[in-house]
Amino acid sequence: MASSKSVVIAALFANAAITVLKFAGFLLTGSPAMLSETYHSVSDTGNQVFLLIGIRYSGREADDKHPFGYGKAQFFYSFLVAVLLFGIAGWESVTHGYHSIMHPHPVTTSTETLFGYQFPSHWVNYTVLIGAIAFETYALWKAYLGISRQMKEHNWESLSEAFRKTSDVTTLTALTEDFVAVAGAGIALFGIYLSRITGNPFYDAAASVFIGLLLMGFALALAWENKRLLLGESLPSGDERQLRAIVTQWDTVRHIDDFRTVFFGPEQLLVTADISFEDTMDTESIDEQITAIENALIEHNPQIEKVYIEPEM
């Protein structure tokens, strides 16, 4: 959880600073792509706040109403982030870009003065977007280190596999947001540059639409990944088979009647099993075997926090 929190805090500070700079760039130049990027960064900044709330809320101790703790709070707030990313940043970017395509404004050149030095206004956009790419790349690197740690721990071979299997949705959300932020800033920079050198405002407006579609696409993918965990997803079948194999290797186990796994928080796994032991075993021996099996399962997969084994006679 500490790793997830550091990833989110890094993204929060980067997005807050970039939001102010992008909005200043829009006010000076009126660029549709810059306004889309402002929407994007406002949404991202708010989203980091939601993720931090989720991390803090999920850290609460279990109680009578929530006997397995509040770990799923991170799933909920990450899902909420996906909805906001789609609804605010994505939709607003698309609609503003479309309006700019339908009602284009001529590309004009104006100058600004800073410390007695005059320069073209569009330089502000270039500077802000290049700075945004630098800041977001740093945040993306922090998020990548977080997901790489999980890939190494669970022997996942690719980012796409980690995206499908991870239960640390906070790091996953930060990684997705930061990647889209870097891509969006790059698209905005390219669109503004093309409009500037051609004198055609279409490229700037089209960049706004493309950024919005990019945001909406990733938001839908992120919402889908959070949905699986909110509904109570089990371990991937291959990992679950390994746990079953650990149980069946005991000589005293005749067969497994039922075996279930479910995530109740980020990297917090619950395992339940109904096991038929040999008829010759007494209660004390069964208790010893259950304890040994529980320890073996937890040692194999550190995500397992609770194991409930019911002996079947």
Side-chain angles (χ1 to χ4, degrees):
M1 186 174 295
S3 175
S4 299
K5 190 173 183 179
S6 67
V7 168
V8 174
I9 290 175
L12 174 63
F13 282 111
N15 284 316
I18 291 168
T19 299
V20 176
L21 295 176
K22 286 179 179 177
F23 187 61
F26 164 71
L27 291 178
L28 291 172
T29 64
S31 164
M34 283 301 290
L35 183 58
S36 292
E37 279 297 292
T38 302
Y39 286 140
H40 184 178
S41 292
V42 168
S43 175
D44 282 353
T45 303
N47 291 344
Q48 309 311 321
V49 174
F50 278 119
L51 292 179
L52 287 174
I53 292 173
I55 291 174
R56 181 177 179 83
Y57 195 75
S58 66
R60 296 175 61 178
E61 295 293 332
D63 53 33
D64 292 340
K65 290 187 176 180
H66 299 86
F68 294 107
Y70 291 78
K72 283 195 174 185
Q74 288 195 49
F75 303 158
F76 169 75
Y77 281 102
S78 294
F79 182 83
L80 189 60
V81 163
V83 173
L84 294 175
L85 190 66
F86 179 93
I88 296 178
W91 181 254
E92 288 297 327
S93 295
V94 169
T95 54
H96 182 74
Y98 176 77
H99 178 79
S100 298
I101 291 174
M102 294 295 100
H103 308 281
H105 295 282
V107 178
T108 58
T109 301
S110 59
T111 59
E112 301 296 331
T113 302
L114 182 65
F115 301 120
Y117 177 74
Q118 286 192 333
F119 54 89
S121 296
H122 60 271
W123 285 15
V124 175
N125 288 342
Y126 296 158
T127 303
V128 169
L129 289 172
I130 291 172
I133 291 173
F135 276 112
E136 296 289 3
T137 299
Y138 166 74
L140 178 62
W141 176 246
K142 290 281 290 183
Y144 177 75
L145 291 177
I147 205 73
S148 294
R149 176 189 60 79
Q150 296 179 41
M151 291 172 64
K152 183 177 180 180
E153 180 180 340
H154 301 294
N155 295 317
W156 295 330
E157 296 182 353
S158 65
L159 282 173
S160 61
E161 183 179 5
F163 195 92
R164 296 191 310 270
K165 293 182 177 180
T166 184
S167 63
D168 184 4
V169 292
T170 299
T171 299
L172 178 64
T173 301
L175 178 72
T176 302
E177 281 189 351
D178 294 336
F179 172 77
V180 175
V182 173
I187 293 168
L189 182 62
F190 188 58
I192 292 170
Y193 173 74
L194 287 179
S195 286
R196 184 58 52 183
I197 63 173
T198 63
N200 187 346
F202 170 81
Y203 299 106
D204 193 336
S208 176
V209 173
F210 196 80
I211 291 168
L213 292 175
L214 185 69
L215 287 166
M216 294 167 77
F218 272 91
L220 287 173
L222 194 60
W224 181 264
E225 292 305 311
N226 280 280
K227 184 209 73 169
R228 64 181 173 83
L229 291 163
L230 279 170
L231 295 180
E233 186 178 62
S234 66
L235 266 178
S237 56
D239 296 334
E240 192 170 288
R241 280 196 298 270
Q242 293 178 17
L243 296 181
R244 284 175 171 267
I246 291 174
V247 176
T248 55
Q249 75 180 5
W250 256 260
D251 295 335
T252 54
V253 173
R254 284 191 294 150
H255 58 81
I256 299 174
D257 298 290
D258 187 45
F259 193 91
R260 302 184 187 190
T261 61
V262 66
F263 284 101
F264 62 92
E267 299 189 297
Q268 295 177 309
L269 190 66
L270 169 68
V271 177
T272 66
D274 293 342
I275 301 174
S276 292
F277 291 93
E278 294 293 344
D279 295 335
T280 57
M281 297 181 63
D282 57 27
T283 302
E284 184 178 351
S285 298
I286 291 176
D287 287 342
E288 291 175 354
Q289 288 292 290
I290 288 176
T291 300
I293 293 172
E294 290 174 348
N295 292 336
L297 292 174
I298 293 172
E299 183 179 354
H300 176 77
N301 191 332
Q303 295 184 103
I304 299 175
E305 292 203 358
K306 296 184 184 298
V307 182
Y308 294 108
I309 295 177
E310 180 72 22
E312 299 290 335
M313 304 304 292

